[in-house]
Amino acid sequence: NAGVTQTPKFQVLKTGQSMTLQCAQDMNHNSMYWYRQDPGMGLRLIYYSASEGTTDKGEVPNGYNVSRLNKREFSLRLESAAPSQTSVYFCASSGLAGGLDTQYFGPGTRLTVL
Amino acid sequence: QKEVEQDPGPLSVPEGAIVSLNCTYSNSAFQYFMWYRQYSRKGPELLMYTYSSGNKEDGRFTAQVDKSSKYISLFIRDSQPSDSATYLCAMSFTGGGNKLTFGTGTQLKVEL
């Protein structure tokens, strides 16, 4: 089991460029999440998907779009990147483990917007 | 004011020390309380969770929740260099289909 995988691991963009961050999980989980992690701010939820075909905004959705392509894959798109979107992005999926809907995180994508 | 407050550290302790990590929160509706560990340049991984108030022990780790004070703690006994990581507290209203609210994380370094 690979768990949650993310591509790419690193990316540098110029202001105004677009890109898609890819995420896939092989744990047959229904729910998937996108977070960003910034110094002093902790993990903040961008978007989540409770099941295939549904998506909802989290705490910081502005400037992002998502697609739940199928049960395994959940992508995050930056249409016009801004320096404020420089961050580490984590994808997670969740499933029941020991009575708790536990979130499992991918290794992250480090994005720099110049 | 943030919903969950956590001292960012960094916290540096000698090997073998007892470590206390803490979070406070403002929303009394939180029911599930989690601690995640995040090694450098890795994703967070769940370490322990507690439902409602009380203590939970797992090896060298003990999680405590005091809902009356809106205060949670993680204690690490006999700390090891391999415990060096950032520890994030997280909370949710329910145990299923949950959205988590995270603290900012405390960076811990255990020195030889």
Side-chain angles (χ1 to χ4, degrees):
Chain A
N1 270 358
V4 179
T5 57
Q6 292 183 238
T7 55
K9 286 187 169 54
F10 302 93
Q11 184 71 48
V12 179
L13 293 178
K14 293 181 180 178
T15 297
Q17 287 185 318
S18 63
M19 78 162 294
T20 299
L21 282 65
Q22 306 286 355
C23 173
Q25 52 94 6
D26 63 1
M27 295 176 280
N28 201 35
H29 288 162
N30 287 319
S31 299
M32 297 185 73
Y33 312 80
W34 275 106
Y35 292 90
R36 60 179 289 174
Q37 187 174 37
D38 302 290
M41 301 296 290
L43 281 160
R44 292 182 292 169
L45 184 65
I46 305 171
Y47 271 94
Y48 71 101
S49 170
S51 62
E52 186 179 351
T54 67
T55 61
D56 283 291
K57 295 178 181 179
E59 183 185 353
V60 288
N62 290 346
Y64 305 95
N65 286 300
V66 290
S67 295
R68 183 74 182 268
L69 304 168
N70 47 55
K71 192 171 186 178
R72 288 188 64 247
E73 298 171 290
F74 189 36
S75 63
L76 178 72
R77 182 160 178 84
L78 287 70
E79 290 291 351
S80 179
S84 61
Q85 294 178 304
T86 293
S87 187
V88 182
Y89 291 86
F90 288 100
C91 177
S93 68
S94 69
L96 278 174
L100 180 73
D101 192 37
T102 302
Q103 292 194 17
Y104 298 86
F105 287 80
T109 294
R110 279 158 182 79
L111 175 67
T112 300
V113 183
L114 301 175
Chain B
Q1 184 191 4
K2 293 179 183 174
E3 261 190 312
V4 179
E5 299 277 0
Q6 186 175 7
D7 188 334
L11 183 61
S12 183
V13 301
E15 183 179 8
I18 296 174
V19 177
S20 172
L21 304 168
N22 311 294
C23 288
T24 58
Y25 63 96
S26 56
N27 194 331
S28 58
F30 286 130
Q31 293 285 346
Y32 288 82
F33 304 90
M34 287 142 272
W35 286 95
Y36 280 79
R37 180 174 60 195
Q38 184 177 21
Y39 290 114
S40 181
R41 298 193 168 268
K42 302 288 187 184
E45 56 179 347
L46 182 66
L47 191 59
M48 295 181 69
Y49 83 92
T50 313
Y51 171 68
S52 195
S53 284
N55 293 2
K56 187 172 185 178
E57 189 172 321
D58 184 2
R60 296 184 295 110
F61 298 88
T62 300
Q64 284 186 353
V65 175
D66 182 348
K67 291 195 75 179
S68 62
S69 302
K70 298 191 184 69
Y71 189 86
I72 70 169
S73 301
L74 177 70
F75 296 96
I76 307 174
R77 290 183 300 281
D78 187 25
S79 56
Q80 303 295 310
S82 58
D83 295 328
S84 298
T86 297
Y87 291 80
L88 302 112
C89 63
M91 305 175 189
S92 68
F93 302 116
T94 66
N98 58 331
K99 288 190 290 182
L100 300 180
T101 301
F102 283 88
T104 53
T106 299
Q107 187 179 350
L108 171 67
K109 185 173 184 180
V110 181
E111 304 197 75
L112 291 167

